[in-house]
Amino acid sequence: VTGRLIFAANWKMHLGPDGARRFFDAFLPAYAPRADREVWFFPPAVSLPAAAAAIHGRADIRAGAQDVHWERSGAFTGEVSAELAREAGATLALVGHSERRQVFGETDDMAARKLRSILAAGLTPLLCVGETLAERQNSQTIAVVQRQLGVALAGLEPSALGRVVLAYEPVWAIGTGHNATPAEAGQVHREIRTLMAAHGGPGRARVLYGGSVRRANVRELLAEPELDGVLVGGASLDAAEWAAIVQSSVTPR
Ligand code: 13P
């Protein structure tokens, strides 16, 4: 699959089972498979079965959890494990999204434990890293990404590292309408790849960019060869808008 672009939709706390079914009823006829790309969806956990049923038979489209607990099962009221998400139809899971870190107090260590449980369950992890505005203004961008990745990847075998897909999501770009420039993102993506390789991972890890990606800027962003795809929030909620985004003409990787 390396070399294929990834267009990932993070629906956050939007689109329940009915909304998800309506979305796929509109999206699937508007988007035929393309050999050079995959489309990933992260619906709310309650919509995973509806999403998985809708995309059944489309090998180019996958669905996953937005978050998981690090234990397989147990007395953890309100939580969903990677195993349970898989049973509900997930083949992917987001981990370490900045909203988990900022709004729900998720630490680097918690993200690391979640990452291990996702790998153990046989799902593909999409690990998110990125700095806040204050951290960028204090020239801490690389240090922050280094710390987040260092804790998450510590001790993982090369075979596990090879399964980890990364997303660079600068917090100041999320939901603000102010995306990183292709050059700004490209520079951090290069650094992320270097860090991944230094941990014993693949020489060219897959790295997506997220933060205010829209139909209007997706082509310019993906013209930067350091970007292997995009992770999109707001602009992924409308089937027509998302169909336009995933059909963007992009130079093959
Ligand atoms: P927006 O595309 O709404 O800025 O959200 C980005 C994001 O957080 C995706 O995970």
Side-chain angles (χ1 to χ4, degrees), residues 54-228:
I55 65 177
H56 187 78
R58 284 286 297 257
D60 62 315
I61 305 182
R62 300 170 68 181
Q66 295 176 7
D67 182 37
V68 298
H69 191 266
W70 53 81
E71 296 290 344
R72 284 171 62 107
S73 61
F76 299 102
T77 301
E79 294 294 306
V80 174
S81 69
E83 296 283 339
L84 296 182
R86 187 181 61 180
E87 194 177 324
T91 66
L92 313 161
L94 277 178
V95 57
H97 191 278
S98 66
E99 286 149 22
R100 298 305 314 171
R101 297 178 191 262
Q102 297 218 304
V103 186
F104 300 100
E106 185 168 304
T107 62
D108 293 332
D109 182 59
M110 287 158 77
R113 292 159 82 176
K114 291 177 177 194
L115 175 62
R116 275 150 191 75
S117 77
I118 291 163
L119 290 164
L123 307 179
T124 300
L126 178 50
L127 172 64
C128 305
V129 296
E131 82 287 4
T132 63
L133 182 60
E135 288 164 342
R136 172 160 285 255
Q137 286 168 341
N138 289 319
S139 309
Q140 293 293 299
T141 299
I142 300 306
V144 167
V145 166
Q146 211 160 22
R147 189 202 73 227
Q148 291 172 333
L149 276 182
V151 176
L153 303 179
L156 289 180
E157 297 293 327
S159 61
L161 291 169
R163 292 168 50 204
V164 178
V165 182
L166 300 142
Y168 171 53
E169 293 211 311
V171 178
W172 48 269
I174 295 178
T176 59
H178 182 61
N179 59 287
T181 64
E184 283 171 335
Q187 187 194 8
V188 181
H189 284 218
R190 253 190 307 281
E191 194 64 36
I192 288 173
R193 288 206 172 87
T194 303
L195 291 166
M196 183 60 140
H199 277 87
R204 199 186 186 289
R206 285 185 290 172
V207 187
L208 316 185
Y209 166 77
S212 294
V213 177
R214 300 272 178 275
R215 187 181 186 158
N217 61 18
V218 64
R219 279 184 61 187
E220 186 196 357
L221 283 160
L222 288 175
E224 164 57 59
E226 291 288 335
L227 273 62
D228 296 320

Side-chain angles (χ1 to χ4, degrees), residues 24-48:
F24 285 110
D25 282 348
F27 174 75
L28 292 172
Y31 177 63
R34 295 183 174 209
D36 67 345
R37 59 194 71 186
E38 290 181 26
V39 185
W40 292 4
F41 288 94
F42 297 93
V46 293
S47 302
L48 264 174

Side-chain angles (χ1 to χ4, degrees), residues 222-248:
L222 288 175
E224 164 57 59
E226 291 288 335
L227 273 62
D228 296 320
V230 286
L231 176 55
V232 183
S236 73
L237 294 171
D238 178 77
E241 176 82 0
W242 183 237
I245 288 172
V246 300
Q247 292 179 93
S248 308

